[in-house]
Amino acid sequence: MKVWNIILFTVLLLSSQNSTGQSEKELEAIARYQLAEEAYSSTEYDKALLYLEQAEKIIGRKPKLLYLQITIELDKGYNNLDRVKYILDLISKFENAPGISDFSKDKKTITARNKVMLKEKQVQLTAELEKLKIQKQQQQIKSVKGKAAFEKFAVEGLALGLPLEEFEQQYPNFMPKNYKLTKTNWGSSDAQADIIYICHSKNINFENKNSFLLPYNASTGAPLYGTDIHALIVKDQRVVGLQKNLFYYNSKGSGSLTHEQAAAEITKYVQDYKNEFESGGDQTDAIEFAAHQDSWKWSHEGKSVILFSDNYVDEKNAKRWKCSLTVRIIKQ
């Protein structure tokens, strides 16, 4: 280190003998370079770069200063394109710095090798960015299509938001003649909030009385195997939602599927809905998606589509099972 300091000092002194003040500045540059080396050895990279910047302001861009700067910047990392371009720019300055012809051949070779490596890294990162750009464009297209499909999605083409009486007149086949409105405990606990009711036939009860799932015939106790609409959701005297079975299979002979096949139907339905709405829970700019145990929900601009599954196997008798999937649409 002492030999280098003497050599560097001599070179600086011979190259600029304007004044004693200048020599003092050159000594300051040497000192700041030494401090940069010490900071680099302690992995205080930003501190080291600051000392090099200060030394450069005094004596200009010297190969030795640039070589240490490049080394530090490489150690700091180069995992993004901006970092790679920045270090390549430093290498270009190093290659064209005054006095480069007299600089260490070994260090110039090391820098050349780093340049090749960084050029390869630049090609790789550029390709990855282009790939991400294309993926983003494709995702945006999917998002637009998914939103459009979601907005159009409806069961039996029924319009929601109509007053209860008007809905009954417009869709007489879907409104039970002897219906009842059962109050739910859904929604806000605010006493002033609109109460939500389930509108259903008096001949229907629900196994799950809290969520009004798994409808069955109140007289016979048999599950509702059909896929007709079995419940409407009413808020503020308006029909804001509806509910129906997508399928219902069990071990009693409804349908010809085995339990494994019926359970696979749940997975298939959920995936088909995901594909249609193009939302799998990882799109922040698309339809909001949430998956919970035995339920999947898509929401966008006040509309929700929810799937509820029931996949039950008797612990004592595996031959007794049931599989069902219910869809509910709510638009408020």
Side-chain angles (χ1 to χ4, degrees):
M1 182 61 70
K2 290 183 178 178
V3 173
W4 160 248
N5 290 342
I6 293 171
I7 293 172
L8 179 59
F9 176 76
T10 302
V11 171
L12 292 172
L13 189 62
L14 290 175
S15 63
S16 52
Q17 299 179 354
N18 293 335
S19 65
T20 302
Q22 179 111 19
S23 297
E24 290 175 354
K25 286 183 178 265
E26 290 165 353
L27 284 172
E28 181 184 343
I30 294 172
R32 293 191 180 279
Y33 176 83
Q34 292 175 347
L35 289 170
E37 282 191 319
E38 292 172 5
Y40 170 60
S41 298
S42 302
T43 66
E44 297 178 273
Y45 297 144
D46 291 339
K47 187 176 181 180
L49 291 172
L50 180 59
Y51 282 130
L52 288 175
E53 181 183 346
Q54 293 168 345
E56 183 181 312
K57 288 181 179 178
I58 298 171
I59 59 174
R61 289 175 180 162
K62 301 296 181 182
K64 191 169 185 70
L65 299 181
L66 286 166
Y67 181 82
L68 179 55
Q69 184 180 0
I70 291 167
T71 303
I72 294 171
E73 294 291 359
L74 285 169
D75 283 0
K76 285 182 68 176
Y78 45 90
N79 288 324
N80 64 68
L81 201 54
D82 288 340
R83 288 286 300 160
V84 170
K85 289 179 179 179
Y86 176 69
I87 300 173
L88 283 173
D89 183 59
L90 287 177
I91 290 176
S92 178
K93 292 175 181 176
F94 168 81
E95 292 171 336
N96 295 285
I100 189 64
S101 58
D102 298 323
F103 192 63
S104 165
K105 183 178 179 181
D106 288 343
K107 291 182 177 179
K108 285 193 288 187
T109 301
I110 291 172
T111 304
R113 287 169 61 90
N114 285 329
K115 181 178 180 180
V116 171
M117 178 271 294
L118 288 171
K119 285 285 188 181
E120 292 174 347
K121 187 72 174 178
Q122 186 178 33
V123 171
Q124 174 197 336
L125 291 173
T126 300
E128 290 176 358
L129 282 176
E130 185 62 27
K131 183 179 179 181
L132 287 173
K133 180 181 177 181
I134 293 172
Q135 289 176 342
K136 186 175 181 180
Q137 291 173 342
Q138 292 174 338
Q139 190 60 59
Q140 288 174 339
I141 293 172
K142 288 181 179 180
S143 177
V144 171
K145 289 183 177 179
K147 287 178 182 177
F150 184 82
E151 289 168 1
K152 292 179 181 178
F153 182 82
V155 172
E156 311 294 345
L158 301 180
L160 298 177
L162 297 176
L164 191 58
E165 292 183 2
E166 185 177 334
F167 187 93
E168 185 176 8
Q169 293 173 0
Q170 189 165 338
Y171 306 107
N173 295 331
F174 295 99
M175 196 72 179
K177 298 303 179 184
N178 59 335
Y179 68 82
K180 66 177 179 179
L181 292 173
T182 303
K183 181 180 176 182
T184 74
N185 58 359
W186 300 350
S188 174
S189 58
D190 184 356
Q192 302 300 319
D194 293 327
I195 299 172
I196 299 176
Y197 292 88
I198 295 293
C199 176
H200 59 95
S201 169
K202 292 180 180 180
N203 297 326
I204 292 177
N205 284 335
F206 299 88
E207 288 186 38
N208 190 324
K209 293 179 172 58
N210 291 321
S211 57
F212 296 90
L213 297 173
L214 305 172
Y216 65 90
N217 187 302
S219 301
T220 66
L224 295 187
Y225 296 111
T227 57
D228 295 331
I229 294 170
H230 57 252
L232 301 174
I233 301 168
V234 178
K235 181 179 181 181
D236 192 25
Q237 293 300 306
R238 290 180 177 273
V239 178
V240 298
L242 49 87
Q243 182 172 293
K244 64 175 285 184
N245 286 338
L246 291 174
F247 63 80
Y248 193 121
Y249 302 109
N250 63 19
S251 55
K252 294 181 179 180
S254 174
S256 58
L257 302 183
T258 65
H259 172 256
E260 290 74 18
Q261 291 171 330
E265 285 291 289
I266 294 176
T267 302
K268 180 180 182 301
Y269 264 92
V270 174
Q271 190 58 52
D272 286 347
Y273 274 58
K274 281 185 177 181
N275 292 340
E276 184 173 8
F277 300 150
E278 294 296 346
S279 176
D282 55 355
Q283 301 179 30
T284 56
D285 63 338
I287 298 166
E288 181 184 352
F289 171 75
H292 303 287
Q293 184 176 5
D294 302 325
S295 71
W296 301 264
K297 180 179 181 181
W298 293 263
S299 300
H300 183 63
E301 295 185 352
K303 178 180 178 181
S304 296
V305 174
I306 315 164
L307 300 181
F308 300 94
S309 74
D310 178 54
N311 187 9
Y312 168 80
V313 178
D314 193 322
E315 294 180 357
K316 296 181 179 180
N317 184 1
K319 292 183 178 180
R320 295 179 58 189
W321 59 269
K322 61 181 177 180
C323 269
S324 70
L325 191 64
T326 303
V327 61
R328 179 185 296 159
I329 302 177
I330 302 178
K331 185 172 178 62
Q332 301 188 45

